[in-house]
Amino acid sequence: MTARIFWKDAARLNDEIVSTYLTVARAACLAFAPIALTEDDAVPEHYRLAQVMHARNVYNAVNGDTQPVDPETGYGQIVSTPLDWHVRQLLRPVTAWGGIA
């Protein structure tokens, strides 16, 4: 999987910057993931997608809109959580009671 397929802004960044964001995201995702992987384990695709999504979120948080926030609308900034619920769901899926098997 290449990060640039799922992270549009990565296409305009050099490889070293993309690699840095992916490394940071990998550490956070592996710390949250329920199953520790060894070096020989195949990395599940949902871990890889979570890593790219988190790298994109960190990038957006660092490079967000620097315009002042309009106090009436709240627009003008990007708010990012350390691991948003999309990323957490990919790493530790929540099974609904009576959900689809």
Side-chain angles (χ1 to χ4, degrees), residues 49-67:
L49 184 56
Q51 178 185 1
V52 173
M53 289 173 64
H54 187 54
R56 183 184 62 202
N57 289 347
V58 172
Y59 171 82
N60 286 339
V62 171
N63 297 288
D65 188 356
T66 58
Q67 299 299 317

Side-chain angles (χ1 to χ4, degrees), residues 2 4 10-23:
T2 177
R4 290 182 168 97
R12 61 185 180 81
L13 302 174
N14 70 42
D15 290 344
E16 187 176 338
I17 291 172
V18 172
S19 177
T20 298
Y21 279 105
L22 289 171
T23 300

Side-chain angles (χ1 to χ4, degrees), residues 11 33 48:
R48 291 180 192 272

Side-chain angles (χ1 to χ4, degrees), residues 63-81:
N63 297 288
D65 188 356
T66 58
Q67 299 299 317
V69 177
D70 181 334
E72 291 183 25
T73 65
Y75 293 118
Q77 75 182 42
I78 295 174
V79 177
S80 177
T81 57

